[in-house]
Amino acid sequence: MYSRARVDRASDIEVLARFGRALADPIRCRVLLALNHRPACPADLADALGISRTRLSNHLACLRDCGLVVAVPDGRRTRYEIADERLGHALDDLRTAVVAVETDRTCADAAEKGCC
């Protein structure tokens, strides 16, 4: 059982909200999944995702500000990677949990209400 004091801490809520904002955009999700697979330079990442470098740059800035990715100097280039390996595990866990929920639609009103 979770203690109420632990769950209500502002910092915990802020961290989850930041993570949620990062995941709220499909492009940022694609970036996170790609970087979870392997670190990449922005040009390579933009090409792999089929988006402009400018657009990618904006999304990488958001992910950096959220603390989810880090920029690592790599010679004359910059490489981006997931900030902490635990985030990579969390992404994997979240992705598989969502897939499990998606295949188990127990809410009878899901189609009508647009929920679940």
Side-chain angles (χ1 to χ4, degrees), residues 59-108:
H59 288 290
L60 286 171
C62 175
L63 293 170
R64 271 193 328 268
D65 291 345
C66 289
L68 301 178
V69 300
V70 292
V72 178
D74 188 12
R76 296 177 66 189
R77 300 176 77 180
T78 301
R79 182 183 71 242
Y80 280 84
E81 56 190 50
I82 299 291
D84 186 298
E85 70 179 42
R86 292 173 292 184
L87 288 170
H89 295 296
L91 286 168
D92 288 337
D93 290 345
L94 185 58
R95 185 181 47 78
T96 56
V98 168
V99 169
V101 169
E102 179 67 24
T103 59
D104 181 27
R105 291 199 177 250
T106 56
C107 178

Side-chain angles (χ1 to χ4, degrees), residues 6-87:
R6 175 75 176 140
V7 173
D8 289 340
R9 280 192 20 210
S11 63
D12 290 345
I13 294 167
E14 290 168 11
V15 166
L16 287 174
R18 272 196 331 244
F19 195 63
R21 278 192 300 276
L23 295 178
D25 185 278
I27 291 176
R28 287 193 295 271
C29 288
R30 292 174 60 208
V31 169
L32 286 169
L33 291 173
L35 293 177
N36 196 30
H37 182 65
R38 71 174 166 267
C41 295
D44 298 333
L45 194 54
D47 290 344
L49 298 177
I51 61 175
S52 73
R53 292 178 188 183
T54 302
R55 193 168 187 194
L56 176 66
S57 177
N58 292 332
H59 288 290
L60 286 171
C62 175
L63 293 170
R64 271 193 328 268
D65 291 345
C66 289
L68 301 178
V69 300
V70 292
V72 178
D74 188 12
R76 296 177 66 189
R77 300 176 77 180
T78 301
R79 182 183 71 242
Y80 280 84
E81 56 190 50
I82 299 291
D84 186 298
E85 70 179 42
R86 292 173 292 184
L87 288 170

